[in-house]
Amino acid sequence: MTQDDESFMQEALEKAREAALSGEVPIGALIFDPSSKTVLATARNSPIALNDPCAHAEILALREAGAKLGNYRLTDLWLYVTLEPCAMCAGAISHARIGRLIYGAPDAKGGAIEHGPKFFAQPTCHWKPEVTSGVLAEDSATLLKSFFKARRKT
């Protein structure tokens, strides 16, 4: 983990906070190009707003970066996300050829990187990024816990 990892994860957390304010599960994502040192995409969870069960922050960030680059292959780019990706997102990350995945909080229930299907460890997985977990994990977990606690009160 680097200082830059924490800085980019802070940006992803800001997107997660935006999601929470709009009633979406607070997950944010960011795609960084280390060769040009530019942020190509930021996104927040939006399945409710977009009426799209696939509108996870990771998927939306991958789509935005692909559109900007004019290529569905995002080889060597870095994806920051505040929560361990689910199986759907892990599959998309693999297909996009993301070079490095950095995530915050673990997700024992729905995660697919270190939990559940452990997507990248499967012999059928054709591309595995470098994975760094736990970056600002406590901040990410606290945001999620606060969001769901507030929802249970209403």
Side-chain angles (χ1 to χ4, degrees), residues 30-114:
L30 177 146
I31 295 183
F32 175 70
D33 180 353
S35 64
S36 67
K37 301 198 183 317
T38 57
V39 173
L40 295 174
T42 60
R44 61 184 180 88
N45 257 20
S46 297
I48 297 167
L50 298 177
N51 298 308
D52 179 358
C54 298
H56 291 195
E58 301 96 307
I59 299 294
L60 297 175
L62 291 168
R63 288 175 180 165
E64 183 180 336
K68 280 185 180 174
L69 295 175
N71 194 340
Y72 73 102
R73 294 278 168 91
L74 306 176
T75 307
D76 299 327
L77 300 183
W78 297 0
L79 171 61
Y80 290 82
V81 62
T82 57
L83 184 67
E84 178 181 353
C86 69
M88 174 184 70
C89 292
I93 290 163
S94 180
H95 282 280
R97 307 292 200 272
I98 288 292
R100 184 167 177 243
L101 167 65
I102 305 93
Y103 70 86
D107 185 359
K109 185 176 180 181
I113 308 305
E114 293 181 34

